[in-house]
Amino acid sequence: MNSGDHGSPGDRLARAGGVFEDDALIDQLNRALWSMWSRLERLPRSDVFWSHTNHRTTWCKVEDFARRCVDRNPSDETARWALVGLSMHAGSFGGLQLFAEDAAARDEAVHDLIAVAEWVWLEVGVDPGTCLEQALLRVGPPALRLLTQSVGRAAIAASGFLAGKSFAEAIGRRQWDLFVHALVVPTPEQRASSVVSEALLVAGEQRLAAARECLNYDASAVVDLLDAAQWWAANRGTDVMCRLRELLEVVSRDSLERLVGDQGDEVSAPLRTALLVLDGHGLPLRREL
């Protein structure tokens, strides 16, 4: 395959370390992306689609082709999922409306909708805001109430967002949001070498105090802290290891070791990573799909 100069979304969509998005979702998106690439490759160059082009497959053309496929056949799942994946790769929430349209026929569409919103939010750092609100209003509050039985926490999160909660609060990531800001509070050395206003210093100390308090009593807060540190490293190229180790020391090694044995796999694995970080190791890279 020749992906041209546009990069390969199918190589770049990786787990963001979210509450709702998971490996299965990312795998399905990547399969759809490459399947649409293959479908376009096989499309005869005599087809009108190739008019006034260089007849080479690129991701921009894959997106145009997927839109044409959905326009002709709204039930073309591969094309729909590919469009969602391409919008995610572009850092946009454009795929949410496709899932909203799908919700009447497929209960899991609401879960996927929230998961995709979370992925873009984590990767790009942009709140889904009105894009998510419009998609959920299309599903409809009455439908969301009914879906709380089959979809569970995703429908509950969606309803909470429509009721006025922030996206982070609605999906249970309020602590992650706190840690994202706490990890970049200037250290004393950084403060000495730059001009920082008194108001920013006070706000930074408040964030650190709140972060330490969360870590004192909640094992899941450690998971959010590690996710936040990975977000800074992967998406902003920012080294926050010094502050990360400082915050992890609040929990203590003994507490972390006890928690590893008490938690399920989803929590114990990040807790083991926290122990490695305290030993001086770096954060592991997320699995690329």
Side-chain angles (χ1 to χ4, degrees), residues 70-146:
V70 170
D71 288 342
R72 290 182 173 181
N73 178 15
S75 64
D76 187 335
E77 289 298 311
T78 300
R80 291 167 67 85
W81 279 89
L83 285 173
V84 173
L86 287 161
S87 71
M88 290 167 65
H89 183 251
S92 84
F93 297 100
L96 300 186
Q97 285 294 337
L98 290 172
F99 281 134
E101 295 168 8
D102 206 17
R106 188 173 65 89
D107 288 355
E108 294 80 6
V110 171
H111 183 282
D112 294 336
L113 192 156
I114 295 295
V116 168
E118 181 185 24
W119 191 96
V120 179
W121 173 65
L122 289 173
E123 290 290 317
V124 183
V126 176
D127 192 283
T130 55
C131 293
L132 179 57
E133 182 182 10
Q134 290 169 0
L136 293 177
L137 287 174
R138 185 161 191 162
V139 177
L144 288 174
R145 285 193 291 271
L146 291 174

